[in-house]
Amino acid sequence: MFKKSVFYSLAVLLMVSGLLLSACAPAAPAAAPAEEKPAEEAPAAAPATEEKLAVGIVLPTKDEPRWIQDETRFNDALTAAGYDVEILFSQGDSAKEKDNVESLIAKGVKVIVICPQDGTAAAAAAEAANEAGVKVISYDRLIRDTDAVDYYVTFDSIAVGAQQAQYLVDNATGTGNPLYLYAGAASDNNAFIFFEGAWGVLQPKIADGTFVIKNSSEAIALQDKATLTRDEQAAIIGQVTTNWDFNTAKNLAEANLTATTAADKGVVFILAPNDGTARAIADAFAADTDVSQYFVSGQDAEKASVQYIIDGKQSMTVWKDVRTLVADAIAAAIALLEGSEPTSKGAYNNGVIDVPAIQSAVVTVDKDNVKATLIDGGYYEASEFTGLN
Ligand code: BGC
């Protein structure tokens, strides 16, 4: 875990070196009072547009609470350090993402933190930044098929999938348990890593008869293989993708439930890739009278899913402490601004290069530890939920 004290000392270092200049878009006045800003900065009365922005952040969409969490945590961290850094959203559109990157380049940023909407499509935006001498940090999702990525901050995404799958395994008894598989968007490299992590845990339990796959002929065709190639993963993901979209997830789950019989239901086990899709899929399964009980995974510890877990409507989530990712991204940005190499612990191959990376641990949260982990730990307030005990 990245220590707060480390973050603050880095932030102080940053202030002293004056590398990250406080700035804001004309429509968004600077949050920090003038007296909290570094002495060398322009006085508060100076037009904001004359100030330069050294770091820009581009996030995929406001339509998923996950990315609002990241926006909030970036704002918290940067406000605490006395800075305003512009955060732009791509709204699920790679063309808008590239426009966002170009507008940040035009504003004079030196580092751009990008969480790509589409990992491969984002290569063009990363290359535009690279050509302009701007460093690129790939955030949470890997930008693929380009050498224009300087660094990658992420969570342990294999562990995310493995913990989701392990939860299902731990709750299954006997053999012949119906298993329904769902995946993220094929345009997101993480969807592959999550699935890889889950498959590593589930496949032996499919092979030994604990689980029987009910909704993917592609997965059934590959169920004897302990390790899948990317193309094999793509074949399965293509059949069970939610595209990270709640409606797609719900419609797919409903179609799967329509295509199966009462004998394929009863107590069911559902690999759902994240919280938004888990809630949508859970709602579909809960509405099927042939489903007597379901276990469903999730990811992100979104507030709505924390409430679902408290209410017994979602079984678990994998909590990824976004504060850590934000701190890692800021520390990497500071290092790059100073012309040094950010600390890396390993690398991820993006199809062209090994991108130096740092990855953070993740935590399984269910009804038994939700309060201790997320509330007592200070990530959320108890008052944001009902029925906590
Ligand atoms: C992120 C998840 C998120 C999903 C959908 C993934 O790349 O790692 O946290 O739920 O995208 O936005």
Side-chain angles (χ1 to χ4, degrees):
M1 174 92 63
F2 193 85
K3 293 272 187 319
K4 250 191 164 174
S5 56
V6 176
F7 164 67
Y8 284 121
S9 50
L10 285 167
V12 168
L13 177 71
L14 185 65
M15 279 195 221
V16 169
S17 60
L19 287 165
L20 185 66
L21 303 177
S22 176
C24 58
E35 58 272 20
E36 282 177 27
K37 293 182 182 178
E40 66 272 26
E41 278 187 38
T49 45
E50 282 179 21
E51 297 175 356
K52 278 210 163 182
L53 195 66
V55 175
I57 297 160
V58 181
L59 296 174
T61 179
K62 279 193 177 203
D63 293 341
E64 293 175 41
R66 159 68 215 267
W67 305 113
I68 302 292
Q69 278 197 51
D70 295 70
E71 180 192 34
T72 306
R73 302 299 183 179
F74 264 117
N75 280 329
D76 290 351
L78 293 162
T79 303
Y83 301 117
D84 264 338
V85 169
E86 192 160 347
I87 304 177
L88 301 175
F89 283 86
S90 309
Q91 290 311 104
D93 178 353
S94 295
K96 183 160 172 51
E97 180 176 85
K98 187 147 187 282
D99 287 349
N100 284 340
V101 168
E102 278 164 359
S103 90
L104 290 167
I105 296 169
K107 285 180 179 175
V109 301
K110 297 285 174 265
V111 177
I112 303 186
V113 176
I114 307 175
C115 180
Q117 168 58 31
D118 175 314
T120 299
E127 281 157 17
N130 185 265
E131 278 157 29
V134 173
K135 301 287 185 188
V136 173
I137 297 174
S138 201
Y139 180 84
D140 193 290
R141 300 175 176 171
L142 186 57
I143 300 171
R144 287 187 58 84
D145 302 322
T146 177
D147 62 3
V149 190
D150 295 282
Y151 191 68
Y152 181 35
V153 288
T154 185
F155 291 101
D156 183 347
S157 298
I158 286 280
V160 171
Q163 290 184 20
Q164 292 171 334
Q166 192 60 50
Y167 196 88
L168 302 182
V169 169
D170 289 347
N171 283 285
T173 51
T175 56
N177 294 288
L179 177 65
Y180 292 78
L181 302 172
Y182 297 95
S187 57
D188 178 4
N189 192 57
N190 283 348
F192 287 77
I193 308 180
F194 300 147
F195 194 80
E196 182 182 341
W199 187 260
V201 174
L202 289 175
Q203 190 275 336
K205 293 293 177 182
I206 296 164
D208 77 5
T210 304
F211 291 120
V212 179
I213 302 167
K214 295 294 179 184
N215 70 328
S216 170
S217 56
E218 296 284 357
I220 292 168
L222 292 161
Q223 66 186 7
D224 293 332
K225 290 198 68 179
T227 309
L228 302 177
T229 64
R230 193 170 173 100
D231 285 347
E232 289 167 342
Q233 291 168 351
I236 301 173
I237 292 171
Q239 201 172 39
V240 299
T241 183
T242 60
N243 215 17
W244 294 134
D245 176 69
F246 315 152
N247 288 326
T248 306
K250 188 156 191 280
N251 292 339
L252 179 61
E254 285 171 352
N256 291 159
L257 287 164
T258 303
T260 47
T261 67
D264 301 313
K265 298 175 188 174
V267 181
V268 303
F269 295 81
I270 309 161
L271 179 75
N274 75 346
D275 282 350
T277 59
R279 296 193 300 276
I281 293 166
D283 290 348
F285 277 78
D288 189 313
T289 51
D290 291 326
V291 173
S292 56
Q293 191 182 8
Y294 63 84
F295 292 88
V296 63
S297 62
Q299 162 181 202
D300 293 333
E302 288 181 0
K303 284 181 200 168
S305 279
V306 172
Q307 189 62 59
Y308 259 48
I309 289 171
I310 295 165
D311 296 343
K313 297 195 313 194
Q314 181 177 325
S315 315
M316 64 87 76
T317 187
V318 179
W319 174 38
K320 309 199 300 191
D321 188 336
V322 169
R323 295 169 303 187
T324 308
L325 202 63
V326 162
D328 286 347
I330 293 171
I334 292 167
L336 291 168
L337 285 164
E338 288 178 329
S340 61
E341 293 287 317
T343 310
S344 63
K345 289 184 185 143
Y348 280 70
N349 189 278
N350 77 345
V352 173
I353 54 165
D354 287 331
V355 184
I358 192 157
Q359 67 173 30
S360 305
V362 298
V363 178
T364 293
V365 173
D366 68 0
K367 207 169 184 165
D368 293 339
N369 70 346
V370 64
K371 184 170 174 298
T373 313
L374 296 176
I375 312 297
D376 300 345
Y379 197 68
Y380 291 133
E381 302 285 328
S383 59
E384 295 175 286
F385 306 100
T386 57
L388 257 183
N389 48 44

